[in-house]
Amino acid sequence: MTLIEAQAVGTPVVAFDVGGIRAAIWPPHRHRLAPLDDWTQFFARIEKSIFEKKETNVRADLRDWACRLFSASEVVRKQIACYQAVFPVAEEISCI
């Protein structure tokens, strides 16, 4: 959740590449994921992200991506779709 919140305000993130983390990272920034428990790579990615050239529109693009994919209405829409796939009777659910 913290990764999504950071990106929603335009803050680039660095994390270990484990579980569903990759899906929560803006695709152009997935090179910032370090292999699990590889602290050397983790710190190298932090250092690189601090000193890399910043493009003015990157933060705005990052915010737009995070807000579009993880907005409350989008999360609810995806949850309802999951329930409808598992429980066909749930097709009647409509709260968005």
Side-chain angles (χ1 to χ4, degrees), residues 22 26 56-57 60 62 68 82 91 95:
R22 178 170 289 275
W26 188 41
T56 54
N57 63 340
L62 176 56
R68 186 177 68 251
C82 286
E91 291 178 13
C95 63

Side-chain angles (χ1 to χ4, degrees), residues 11-28:
T11 304
V13 297
V14 173
F16 286 113
D17 193 2
V18 16
I21 298 298
R22 178 170 289 275
I25 302 291
W26 188 41

Side-chain angles (χ1 to χ4, degrees), residues 76-96:
V76 168
R77 188 192 67 72
K78 288 176 182 177
Q79 283 295 122
I80 289 173
C82 286
Y83 282 114
Q84 289 172 336
V86 174
F87 304 107
V89 118
E91 291 178 13
E92 301 167 9
I93 297 174
S94 177
C95 63
I96 29 177

Side-chain angles (χ1 to χ4, degrees), residues 1-4 7 13-27 30 33-34 36 65 69-70 78:
M1 188 68 162
T2 303
L3 297 172
I4 296 167
Q7 294 173 106
V13 297
V14 173
F16 286 113
D17 193 2
V18 16
I21 298 298
R22 178 170 289 275
I25 302 291
W26 188 41
R30 289 186 181 151
L33 294 173
L36 180 60
W65 176 83
L69 262 65
F70 301 104
K78 288 176 182 177

Side-chain angles (χ1 to χ4, degrees), residues 5-68:
E5 292 169 342
Q7 294 173 106
V9 295
T11 304
V13 297
V14 173
F16 286 113
D17 193 2
V18 16
I21 298 298
R22 178 170 289 275
I25 302 291
W26 188 41
H29 284 183
R30 289 186 181 151
H31 66 279
R32 294 178 177 188
L33 294 173
L36 180 60
D37 290 332
D38 187 336
W39 290 97
T40 302
Q41 287 297 315
F42 184 79
F43 291 124
R45 282 162 171 77
I46 290 173
E47 184 176 44
K48 184 176 180 181
S49 71
I50 290 171
F51 295 109
E52 72 185 2
K53 181 182 174 187
K54 307 288 189 253
E55 296 179 30
T56 54
N57 63 340
V58 168
R59 290 179 65 107
D61 291 346
L62 176 56
R63 274 193 309 273
D64 291 346
W65 176 83
C67 291
R68 186 177 68 251

